[in-house]
Amino acid sequence: MSLAAFAGLAAASAQAAQLRGLSLVEGEDGTRAVLELSGPADYKLFTLANPDRLVLDLSRSSLAGGFKAPAPNGVVSGVRTGKPAEGDLRVVFDLGRGVQPRSRLEREGDSARLVVELLGSAPAVAGKPAPARTVEDVIGKGERKLIVAIDAGHGGKDPGAIGPTRKFEKDITLAMARELARQVNADPGMQAYLVRDGDVFIPLHERYQRAREAQADLFISIHADAAHNRAANGASVYVLSLRGASSEAARWLADQENAADLVGGVELDARDKNLAAVLLDLSQNATMRVSDDVASEVLASLKGVGKAHKPQIERANFVVLRSPDVPSMLVETGFISNPGEEARLSDPAYRSRMASAIVGGVRNYFANQAPPGTWYAARQGTLGGSRQHVVSRGETLSLIAARHGVPMNSIRAANRLKGDTVKVGERLTIPMAGAMAGLPE
């Protein structure tokens, strides 16, 4: 077994740190591993051959509770952890080929981020083009699950809005986020990532950054609104306004490292500012279109649970929605300032119905617009999606089922109906042919 050493050291002596998360991102020049640490840590890197591996040793470090190794991506075929010595942490990357590692440690307040780039080990031959990369090269084989990042609003020192009976928004949103994550994980084609899973404060920019590093396909921020008018009620769905997109674009373009990360690892120097602006604009426009489409599906689904505060999606300059490359929405699940809605939002059964509606809207979108290489993409055209039906006078459930060519049981399951009674004006979700196949009822 051959050994090629490559060492990197943190800038200062570090306190004990925990490894909170690890994500793998495939770019044009290779694979990038991003390690989220509770604080700076001394570290060293070295490579091993036969088989190819990259070993990262972190001094005075340990795994945080709930840590999960990422799925294989790019040149990394697996990630393992261990203890080379008491009090130290070792992370081993199993590789498909040799690499040249490059690392940097970034501090963010009390926490830190270690970025390890796994670059190709052999330089390109002059005049010889690199082999073309297929979609499979980037996303890997198989049917990966869609990653849905769920952000429970507020937390820790920030309680959010406070209801008439002293219910805190931060507690309502965490309970809703956990239920939403449970239902997302019950879907065979999706996997939830909780941005926070405890009563902790997380800065707004860090929330969507965590979603990006988890390689999320969708970001959903959960809140419970408040208003001076205690009669205000109903759910709302927000997407980013153009003003918010413009301010975030300026921030990213001012940071060449972030801009390069956004456009797939392209190294951008001073001469490439125009190129960076064009690429960033294209990325943001595409992301905002997807955000609009998914949000519309979610709002339509939420209308089946109760009254919507506004009949259409709304736009606002929310910081948590500013990810340039992850479709994002903010769901105001109701008005915690309204005594009736505070009581409903505190009810697990009601939160379950709300979560089911949100998941239903997300499912409807991805059933028809699935990213390549996903479980949903492999079943494109067989899952169907759904449509909405408002019950008119004289209509019965059997008549509605016959009109849409869908079994009554499917309509009952999609709307959690306990019987066959429907009310005039009620909005029903009608699963299209095959929409219920393979999905939990």
Side-chain angles (χ1 to χ4, degrees):
M1 178 170 59
S2 66
L3 172 66
F6 181 92
L9 296 176
S13 90
Q15 302 295 321
Q18 285 191 322
L19 177 57
R20 294 172 171 171
L22 198 167
S23 59
L24 298 171
V25 182
E26 175 68 351
E28 291 294 329
D29 298 327
T31 305
R32 185 170 64 257
V34 181
L35 295 87
E36 294 294 334
L37 302 169
S38 61
D42 291 336
Y43 68 95
K44 65 178 179 179
L45 288 166
F46 57 91
T47 59
L48 297 170
N50 300 318
D52 291 311
R53 284 152 291 162
L54 174 70
V55 180
L56 167 65
D57 283 343
L58 294 155
S59 299
R60 302 185 61 195
S61 300
S62 61
L63 290 177
F67 173 84
K68 292 182 180 179
N73 194 15
V75 73
V76 179
S77 59
V79 177
R80 297 174 283 127
T81 60
K83 291 185 177 181
E86 188 61 34
D88 294 345
L89 175 65
R90 170 167 289 176
V91 182
V92 180
F93 299 88
D94 294 315
L95 307 174
R97 64 177 184 275
V99 299
Q100 291 181 342
R102 186 171 66 189
S103 66
R104 65 180 183 273
L105 187 68
E106 304 170 349
R107 295 184 181 231
E108 289 193 353
D110 294 333
S111 60
R113 179 181 296 112
L114 176 59
V115 180
V116 182
E117 296 177 276
L118 311 178
L119 308 176
S121 59
V125 178
K128 184 178 180 180
R133 282 157 37 102
T134 65
V135 171
E136 187 177 278
D137 292 331
V138 177
I139 64 175
K141 299 179 180 179
E143 300 174 3
R144 74 170 181 87
K145 293 187 176 186
L146 292 156
I147 305 298
V148 180
I150 303 168
D151 170 45
H154 307 282
K157 64 184 180 181
D158 175 16
I162 302 175
T165 65
R166 305 295 297 174
K167 295 291 193 305
F168 289 178
E169 182 181 4
K170 68 174 183 178
D171 298 327
I172 295 292
T173 60
L174 182 58
M176 182 74 76
R178 286 171 171 167
E179 173 60 22
L180 182 56
R182 185 190 69 79
Q183 295 195 28
V184 165
N185 287 331
D187 186 288
M190 291 190 277
Q191 178 180 331
Y193 168 76
L194 283 169
V195 173
R196 76 170 176 98
D197 193 13
D199 187 17
V200 295
F201 173 77
I202 301 174
L204 297 177
H205 274 104
E206 186 177 333
R207 291 173 185 256
Y208 76 70
Q209 189 63 36
R210 289 189 179 191
R212 294 188 72 249
E213 289 163 1
Q215 301 181 62
D217 298 278
L218 180 65
F219 175 89
I220 303 174
S221 190
I222 301 296
H223 288 257
D225 213 344
H228 292 297
N229 178 9
R230 290 198 171 187
N233 66 341
S236 305
V237 181
Y238 289 84
V239 295
L240 185 64
S241 68
L242 288 174
R243 178 185 172 189
S246 298
S247 60
E248 191 65 5
R251 192 179 76 87
W252 276 66
L253 287 172
D255 185 336
Q256 289 295 295
E257 186 174 290
N258 275 342
D261 178 59
L262 177 63
V263 299
V266 177
E267 292 189 5
L268 300 169
D269 57 25
R271 295 168 299 175
D272 294 317
K273 287 183 178 178
N274 289 335
L275 171 62
V278 170
L279 293 175
L280 179 57
D281 187 54
L282 289 173
S283 176
Q284 278 196 324
N285 287 342
T287 299
M288 292 180 74
R289 283 196 299 271
V290 174
S291 299
D292 280 11
D293 292 344
V294 184
S296 295
E297 291 282 2
V298 168
L299 180 61
S301 190
L302 283 169
K303 289 176 180 177
V305 177
K307 172 182 176 291
H309 185 60
K310 292 288 181 66
Q312 68 283 322
I313 59 173
E314 300 182 70
R315 302 177 192 281
N317 187 12
F318 287 120
V319 172
V320 292
L321 299 181
R322 291 184 184 178
S323 178
D325 53 351
V326 180
S328 305
M329 74 181 78
L330 185 147
V331 179
E332 293 281 8
T333 53
F335 283 81
I336 197 174
S337 53
N338 180 309
E341 290 214 324
E342 181 195 34
R344 285 192 290 275
L345 291 169
S346 302
D347 178 13
Y350 181 78
R351 291 198 298 264
S352 178
R353 292 196 298 274
M354 289 286 291
S356 180
I358 295 171
V359 172
V362 172
R363 183 183 295 139
N364 290 346
Y365 174 81
F366 284 124
N368 296 297
Q369 303 289 336
T374 61
W375 185 91
Y376 274 87
R379 290 156 182 79
Q380 200 88 51
T382 65
L383 298 176
S386 67
R387 61 174 69 92
Q388 299 293 307
H389 178 96
V390 178
V391 179
S392 301
R393 187 176 301 278
E395 286 187 318
T396 62
L397 187 62
S398 60
L399 180 62
I400 294 170
R403 179 170 297 168
H404 290 281
V406 176
M408 290 174 62
N409 284 340
S410 294
I411 299 178
R412 288 195 200 97
N415 296 275
R416 298 185 179 274
L417 298 177
K418 296 182 179 179
D420 295 342
T421 303
V422 292
K423 300 177 182 178
V424 175
E426 184 176 4
R427 185 180 294 271
L428 299 177
T429 297
I430 310 297
M432 294 164 63
M436 304 303 289
L439 299 176
E441 295 190 356

